[in-house]
Amino acid sequence: MSPDSSPRSTTDPHDLGDGDDRPNVVLVVMDTARAKETVPAASRITPTLASLAAAGTEFTRAYTSSPWTLPSHASLFTGLYTAAHGAHGGHTYLDADHETVPAAFQSAGYETVGVSNNCWITGEFGFDRGFDRFRKGWQYIQSDVDTGAVVRASGVSERLTSFKDQLLAGNPAITLANVAYERYLCGDNGAARTTDWITEWLADRQHRRTDQPFFLFCNYIEPHIEYDPPREYAEQFLSPTAVDEALGLRQDPRAFDVGEYDLSERECELLRGLYRGELAYVDAQLGRLRDSIQKAGEWENTIFVVLGDHGENIGEYGFFGHQYNLHETVVHVPLVITGGPFQDGSQRDGFVQLLDLVPTLLETAGISAPELAMQAQGQSFHPRSATTPRDAVFAEHIQPQPAVDSLEARFGELPDRVRGFDRSLRSVRTEGATYIRGSDGSQWLYLAADGDEHHNRADQRPALAAQLDTRLDDWLGTVERDHTPETAVEMSASTEQRLADLGYL
């Protein structure tokens, strides 16, 4: 389909006739942003997100369907639960037989651009399909050689060895430029360069005088481990002395989870200060991105979506990071949409799932994508949608990453608690309770009336636990599909190192 050359406006697609007057769609992921600091959006930590919420619609009970990046993005792109799309710790790839949102917008005549700063969300793992252009945000010049292994090496000898290996693996000039950028010029994990590049791309669109609508996906990874925000953002939440102390703390989620070291509550609070600084910094980049879209003259006709792909534990429930559990801290995330029908400054407090964005965005943009619409397991929450509002949300952790045997290979003998992580988890959340079930027969029942998830009531309320267990089975029977047997991608050594640094290996 070729785009219409007539001027575009903010007309609601529900009111369109036969014309092609479609909005741009921008989908921004604040990687690892949890609801605890971001819902409702407040000016103290995320002033840009708060202003977007004031102008648009904030969904205060939005939930991801998985607690970590690969499966949560797979659900975001396909509208499928993990049991259906099959991308998880045992099959680390989004299979090509699934329809995706970028491909649907591309087929509808949109210019599709993706920028990712999380190496799970790259072509190596099947996430570049449907994009006209897809960029690794942490690289100055795009290359298959990831120079991060050089930058993160400890000691001169290790750094020189890594540098030699990477230099011989690709174009030496490009490798040198990327090493210099990542080690000496990049003050973050790619966010500023990502915003700069998108700004340049928008300016180029203006120069080309194109009326073609665009779909833009962007992942900012800064709130992810390791928390090291620019100092001016960290000092918004910690004193200068406390910042120094916080930056000196060990940040190794897997070592913490297996009990190799402990963090006191005070130390966890220091780390939370750094985490808030990361959120504030990404929020500033979000503001720059909005300003660039406005300067390009595209804002009035743009649906702008900001979300967290999953949350984080920073000492809560005895965990660090976002593996091995389905607590509220890792599945409740921010979701704000502005533009089109989402510009009344309202808060919607009903349940929504991130995978519901697939039918919602198709409906909002007026895109006909029958195969994707039929595939998607979510439901539209467009204001004019006829779907019945959700009364429950679901999440899965089919296979953790890293698996328990990988932990054993790294740390040796493991505590019984950690061996217990070798299971799948599924959960259902309703107005009154949260029920989590493990494949090993374990059960957790948390009552909303308790106000938190510290008191397992499964033994005290067996009838309610049984009722929600049945509901979980009924739901699983409607969404689970056969998919490729468990396999892991043969990832490059540099990708493997970068994922290890993020706590996944």
Side-chain angles (χ1 to χ4, degrees):
M1 179 187 300
S2 60
D4 193 287
S5 59
S6 60
R8 296 180 289 120
S9 70
T10 57
T11 306
D12 189 327
H14 285 76
D15 298 328
L16 293 177
D18 296 327
D20 180 9
D21 205 5
R22 301 165 299 170
N24 308 310
V25 174
V26 177
L27 189 61
V28 182
V29 174
M30 299 172 69
D31 203 298
T32 321
R34 64 182 187 178
K36 187 173 182 180
E37 277 81 6
T38 59
V39 180
S43 57
R44 179 172 179 265
I45 300 178
T46 53
T48 302
L49 191 64
S51 66
L52 290 169
T57 303
E58 179 174 19
F59 298 84
T60 62
R61 288 202 290 176
Y63 285 81
T64 183
S65 56
S66 180
W68 66 286
T69 297
L70 177 82
S72 66
H73 276 74
S75 292
L76 182 65
F77 277 31
T78 65
L80 294 169
Y81 289 97
T82 311
H85 62 61
H88 53 71
H91 181 72
T92 53
Y93 190 83
L94 179 60
D95 291 321
D97 57 349
H98 299 310
E99 301 294 325
T100 67
V101 169
F105 276 85
Q106 185 183 56
S107 296
Y110 274 64
E111 182 178 4
T112 55
V113 173
V115 188
S116 172
N117 287 285
N118 190 315
C119 57
W120 279 122
I121 311 307
T122 59
E124 194 168 358
F125 300 102
F127 285 92
D128 60 346
R129 288 184 290 110
F131 287 104
D132 298 324
R133 303 176 73 175
F134 194 89
R135 181 179 177 84
K136 300 172 184 176
W138 65 88
Q139 291 186 340
Y140 189 77
I141 302 174
Q142 296 298 283
S143 170
D144 290 335
V145 177
D146 186 353
T147 56
V150 181
V151 175
R152 295 185 297 274
S154 59
V156 175
S157 177
E158 182 181 342
R159 188 170 294 125
L160 287 174
T161 300
S162 181
F163 179 67
K164 179 182 177 181
D165 292 342
Q166 299 302 318
L167 197 64
L168 297 174
N171 184 307
I174 292 176
T175 299
L176 281 169
N178 281 336
V179 168
Y181 170 70
E182 193 164 357
R183 180 159 179 79
Y184 300 108
L185 302 176
C186 182
D188 59 16
N189 293 317
R193 175 61 181 159
T194 291
T195 310
D196 289 345
W197 186 87
I198 293 173
T199 300
E200 294 166 3
W201 167 71
L202 288 167
D204 178 65
R205 277 180 54 89
Q206 280 188 292
H207 179 73
R208 288 187 276 127
R209 297 182 180 276
T210 178
D211 286 321
Q212 183 183 15
F214 64 81
F215 174 89
L216 170 65
F217 164 77
C218 174
N219 172 294
Y220 290 117
I221 198 175
E222 270 69 14
H224 204 292
I225 290 289
E226 170 177 314
Y227 315 139
D228 57 349
R231 193 172 186 94
E232 62 268 31
Y233 290 92
E235 289 183 358
Q236 294 179 22
F237 308 99
L238 298 170
S239 70
T241 301
V243 170
D244 292 334
E245 185 179 356
L247 290 172
L249 293 173
R250 185 178 181 184
Q251 297 188 43
D252 189 340
R254 303 293 76 83
F256 176 86
D257 287 341
V258 303
E260 185 172 281
Y261 78 104
D262 292 321
L263 291 167
S264 68
E265 179 52 35
R266 181 179 180 280
E267 289 171 329
C268 287
E269 193 54 38
L270 289 172
L271 290 174
R272 291 170 196 142
L274 293 180
Y275 174 74
R276 292 169 190 135
E278 294 281 29
L279 289 171
Y281 176 66
V282 168
D283 184 81
Q285 296 300 321
L286 197 61
R288 289 186 60 216
L289 178 59
R290 177 184 58 186
D291 292 345
S292 296
I293 297 172
Q294 290 174 337
K295 185 177 180 180
E298 299 280 8
W299 182 256
E300 295 303 319
N301 193 48
T302 293
I303 309 299
F304 196 79
V305 184
V306 184
L307 59 98
D309 62 331
H310 56 75
E312 186 83 321
N313 285 304
I314 312 175
E316 293 89 359
Y317 307 105
F319 290 101
F320 189 12
H322 42 270
Q323 290 288 330
Y324 312 126
N325 70 99
L326 288 175
H327 281 297
E328 183 87 357
T329 41
V330 296
V331 294
H332 188 191
V333 295
L335 175 60
V336 172
I337 307 177
T338 187
F342 302 100
Q343 47 186 333
D344 58 357
S346 66
Q347 283 188 348
R348 288 176 57 177
D349 298 324
F351 284 127
V352 297
Q353 300 229 223
L354 295 185
L355 54 79
D356 294 337
L357 280 165
V358 172
T360 302
L361 291 178
L362 293 177
E363 187 172 1
T364 302
I367 298 297
S368 176
E371 292 183 354
L372 177 60
M374 184 172 294
Q375 167 190 281
Q377 295 170 330
Q379 58 187 62
S380 174
F381 51 76
H382 187 287
R384 299 189 193 178
S385 175
T387 56
T388 303
R390 285 184 175 275
D391 62 354
V393 287
F394 302 87
E396 303 172 273
H397 199 17
I398 289 182
Q399 184 167 321
Q401 180 72 30
V404 171
D405 57 355
S406 297
L407 294 178
E408 188 171 32
R410 177 184 171 189
F411 298 105
E413 187 63 29
L414 300 175
D416 289 341
R417 172 180 180 266
V418 178
R419 290 195 174 280
F421 297 162
D422 192 15
R423 63 191 170 205
S424 62
L425 298 170
R426 288 189 167 94
S427 69
V428 55
R429 279 174 168 78
T430 67
E431 292 287 347
T434 293
Y435 176 73
I436 305 171
R437 180 180 72 198
S439 58
D440 58 357
S442 51
Q443 294 179 311
W444 297 266
L445 178 66
Y446 302 112
L447 302 182
D450 287 339
D452 57 34
E453 295 179 348
H454 289 289
H455 306 287
N456 185 0
R457 309 293 189 184
D459 290 339
Q460 301 170 23
R461 300 286 300 275
L464 179 57
Q467 175 188 337
L468 292 174
D469 189 74
T470 298
R471 178 153 195 186
L472 202 53
D473 279 336
D474 291 344
W475 163 79
L476 188 60
T478 65
V479 301
E480 193 168 28
R481 298 178 184 173
D482 291 332
H483 47 72
T484 306
E486 293 188 356
T487 54
V489 166
E490 282 291 332
M491 64 186 77
S492 67
S494 56
T495 297
E496 189 171 350
Q497 180 59 53
R498 187 174 286 271
L499 290 175
D501 291 340
L502 293 174
Y504 286 112
L505 300 176

